[in-house]
Amino acid sequence: MNFGPWPRRIFFVLAAIFFVFTFLHASWLAPTPRGAPKLVAHRAVGQPLLQHARSGEEDCFSAQIEEPYHPLIEDSLRSISEVSRLGGHMAEVNVLPTGDGDLVLFHDDDLSCRTGADGKVSTSTVEELKQLDIGWGYTTPEGDHPLRGKGEGLMPTLDEAFDRLRGNTRYMFNLKSDDPADADLLAKKVKAARRAVRGTDHAFIGQGPAIARLAELFPDSWVVDLDRAYACSAGYMRTGWLTIVPEACENGTLIVPLDKQYLFAGWPNRTIARMEEVGARIVVTGPHDGETVTYGLDLPEQFGEIPDSFNGYIWIDDLWILGPALRPGFNDRDEEERKALAEVVKRRREAR
């Protein structure tokens, strides 16, 4: 049966569309990105939280951890000092205003979950906060409190971090406040410490009016406005296939979850080139949980899921293990310590 020329014409049209589509998005046709990936240590080097775990107390995210395999507590001076030693590029730290006009490094304004004390950071003085145990709230699935009593007096002020941790420490400041006045205070302290804030020497992350204020104060710095970052990622997954980069990506941040890489048109090289054209930086995170929350990487084999040519930032939840895994030159552990960490990784895999 002769169907005429139309099937052949349709075939050639579809073939042409396929050829053009492949040419536009082929990663191998894009320039090879320069540079190596950089690790961002989420909450510096602390105890990785069990994903989706809760303590039984409403909104208490810090309670359940694995059995500790190192002594560090997030946002403490020692945990920050370990970032560069373990191969990290940047320490993400949480910043909160105090009741007496200072800034401390701590995650929750409500003190009850993490310290067992009543009240809030925002209504407490630094002297009062220095009396607390920041290891009090950590709990293993068995109900033990392995860090209780080991975090007394370890909540640092931002000034202490600047004074005691000089050298090559790069910070990503997560301002846990919506008040632009707190952004002004953070900016004042950063400038007083003579910290160069340009490019990615240091960075800021957050949501709301405070992060918008920081973007105004540091126009040449990397400011991760999470609302814009989520809009950039969602928008590019929709329009990137049409070679359109959303406005939210301009001078912004593209978040790429590990399990969603295939949804980003031209990944990795073409995507990287497009983001570089608009001044955007790319952060690869752990698998997306179906909401707006994403976790960092916490298993060594997850590095193998990231293309070798990727040169952006990788969000890390467990730098203690993953830093030396990616950069063996930073692994100064003896054979016994390596075996112990291998057991930790094994248990973590089995729990997934």
Side-chain angles (χ1 to χ4, degrees), residues 316-342:
I316 303 293
D317 270 359
D318 189 354
L319 190 69
W320 185 269
I321 291 178
L322 269 65
L326 182 65
R327 311 190 195 285
F330 291 88
N331 193 349
D332 59 357
R333 289 143 184 169
D334 58 32
E335 188 62 27
E336 184 176 344
E337 291 172 322
R338 293 181 187 184
K339 288 181 179 179
L341 292 181

Side-chain angles (χ1 to χ4, degrees), residues 8-164:
R8 184 178 300 174
R9 292 175 183 174
I10 293 173
F11 171 79
F12 282 116
V13 168
L14 292 176
I17 292 173
F18 177 79
F19 176 79
V20 171
F21 192 80
T22 301
F23 179 80
L24 288 174
H25 299 297
S27 177
W28 59 275
L29 290 175
T32 301
R34 296 181 179 180
K38 296 159 280 290
L39 307 184
V40 180
H42 184 205
R43 304 180 183 179
V45 184
Q47 303 295 326
L49 307 182
L50 295 179
Q51 294 183 4
H52 311 292
R54 302 293 183 268
S55 68
E57 297 177 346
E58 185 178 357
D59 297 329
C60 182
F61 292 88
S62 68
Q64 290 194 8
I65 59 172
E66 300 173 1
E67 189 67 35
Y69 41 94
H70 64 74
L72 304 180
I73 299 175
E74 66 181 57
D75 289 327
S76 65
L77 294 181
R78 187 180 171 194
S79 79
I80 298 168
S81 70
E82 290 289 294
V83 170
S84 59
R85 191 185 73 82
L86 293 170
H89 176 81
M90 185 173 285
E92 187 262 356
V93 296
N94 300 289
V95 183
L96 277 169
T98 67
D100 54 351
D102 211 335
L103 294 173
V104 293
L105 304 185
F106 195 65
H107 188 274
D108 297 349
D109 187 33
D110 188 332
L111 292 166
S112 61
C113 176
R114 291 174 176 267
T115 72
D118 295 328
K120 298 179 179 296
V121 172
S122 56
T123 58
S124 303
T125 66
V126 170
E127 183 179 358
E128 291 169 337
L129 295 170
K130 287 290 186 181
Q131 308 304 312
L132 304 179
D133 176 9
I134 63 172
W136 186 92
Y138 292 107
T139 309
T140 67
E142 291 74 28
D144 299 325
H145 305 285
L147 299 176
R148 188 166 291 185
K150 298 180 180 180
E152 295 176 356
L154 296 188
M155 188 188 303
T157 65
L158 181 60
D159 291 334
E160 287 174 334
F162 286 150
D163 291 342
R164 299 185 193 179

Side-chain angles (χ1 to χ4, degrees), residues 233 254-261 264 267 271 282-286:
S233 299
L254 180 75
I255 297 175
V256 179
L258 200 63
D259 59 338
K260 300 291 189 296
Q261 296 175 82
F264 291 81
W267 182 256
T271 304
I282 303 176
V283 180
V284 170
T285 69

Side-chain angles (χ1 to χ4, degrees), residues 31 59 74 93 166 217 234 236 342 344:
D59 297 329
E74 66 181 57
V93 296
R166 300 183 182 275
L217 295 170
Y236 187 74
V344 172

Side-chain angles (χ1 to χ4, degrees), residues 212-235:
R213 176 61 175 157
L214 286 167
E216 294 175 1
L217 295 170
F218 298 105
D220 298 324
S221 181
W222 183 20
V223 179
V224 186
D225 183 327
L226 287 172
D227 291 328
R228 289 191 69 226
Y230 294 140
C232 170
S233 299

